[in-house]
Amino acid sequence: MAEYLNVLLLALLPAGGMVVGTVLAELTGTSRRTLSRALHVASGVVLAVVAVELLPESLGGAAPPWAVVLGLCLGGAFYILLEWLIERSAGGEESAGAWMIYTAVAVDLFSDGLMIGVGSVLSLQLALLLGLGQSMADLPEGFATAANFKNKGQPRGRRLLVAASLILPSLAGASLGYWLLRDRSEALQLTALAFTAGILLIAAVEEMLKQAHEVAEDTRLSAAFLIGGFSLFTIFASYFDS
């Protein structure tokens, strides 16, 4: 039980990053260019989580390469299906509104918690690193979410309550990942890790970067923020592993 409580604490890291980003958006300006740059940084961090930690860990263990690739593809397909269901229930992408954004963020945090729960079955150190990495990515995402709610005219009290409620999906995902896989084979655990990598890969490219390009015109400096986020997590992970 103590190990499970540690997993829940680690699952608070991504939600904490989201809450911090929300508070920063409430206390500072939320220009469209700042929002775009924050999303580029978040995309870079998420891509680094996939490329530096999740896929090397999945491919370096007992799972055959075909199983890892299958898990990656299933994770991507799962995210695409969820996105389609959310847009369908909201009546289309354009009419989704602020609560559609909230639902998408909740799904993202659930996948973060799932990744931490799966990673904790392999190693608590891996789960800690993934949690810290996602908290760095979720901070600008929380900033972006709060900015969108501001633009939709939601009152501050409701915006802060919404941010606090986003803790629940992360805890639920971590619990599911931990209890579902703790007694399974290493090959299945690593395949599940690749599954979460597929979710994050689609989220970074098709959601974060897409939104970044929509809120403000892309510039050469935007690419610098993207590679900066990637480099930030890479150097962090390298020193953490050593």
Side-chain angles (χ1 to χ4, degrees):
M1 184 57 68
E3 185 178 358
Y4 173 59
L5 293 178
N6 288 333
V7 173
L8 292 183
L9 288 175
L10 294 178
L12 291 176
L13 291 173
M18 183 74 67
V19 171
V20 170
T22 300
V23 172
L24 287 177
E26 295 293 338
L27 297 178
T28 63
T30 54
S31 71
R32 298 174 71 87
R33 189 164 298 280
T34 301
L35 180 55
S36 176
R37 290 173 177 175
L39 286 168
H40 275 88
V41 173
S43 301
V45 171
V46 172
L47 290 172
V49 168
V50 173
V52 176
E53 285 296 325
L54 294 183
L55 286 184
E57 183 77 23
S58 300
L59 291 167
W66 67 264
V68 173
V69 174
L70 178 62
L72 184 71
C73 293
L74 289 176
F78 176 74
Y79 190 92
I80 293 169
L81 176 62
L82 279 179
E83 183 182 45
W84 178 78
L85 290 173
I86 292 169
E87 289 181 3
R88 183 181 176 87
S89 65
E93 188 174 356
E94 293 299 323
S95 61
W99 291 106
M100 168 62 190
I101 296 170
Y102 171 83
T103 304
V105 171
V107 170
D108 184 35
L109 278 170
F110 179 83
S111 68
D112 291 346
L114 182 65
M115 176 182 62
I116 291 170
V118 172
S120 69
V121 175
L122 297 166
S123 164
L124 276 179
Q125 179 175 325
L126 174 62
L128 174 59
L129 181 58
L130 296 175
L132 290 173
Q134 285 309 106
S135 69
M136 288 190 289
D138 288 330
L139 193 153
E141 190 175 338
F143 185 92
T145 304
N148 279 313
F149 269 92
K150 268 187 174 182
N151 292 336
K152 296 295 181 181
Q154 294 289 340
R156 172 174 288 186
R158 182 175 295 177
R159 295 197 302 264
L160 294 177
L161 183 62
V162 163
S165 71
L166 288 171
I167 294 173
L168 299 178
S170 184
L171 295 177
S175 299
L176 179 64
Y178 178 80
W179 293 110
L180 197 63
L181 293 168
R182 61 192 301 259
D183 296 323
R184 306 297 181 182
S185 67
E186 182 185 353
L188 183 59
Q189 293 168 1
L190 293 173
T191 301
L193 202 63
F195 178 87
T196 63
I199 294 175
L200 292 178
L201 187 60
I202 298 295
V205 176
E206 293 296 330
E207 290 298 326
M208 293 182 185
L209 282 180
K210 179 183 176 182
Q211 187 178 3
H213 295 156
E214 287 177 350
V215 297
E217 184 179 354
D218 209 7
T219 65
R220 291 185 179 89
L221 191 58
S222 300
F225 280 92
L226 176 67
I227 196 67
F230 192 100
S231 301
L232 177 66
F233 180 81
T234 301
I235 193 69
F236 174 81
S238 298
Y239 279 107
F240 190 91
D241 286 340
S242 64

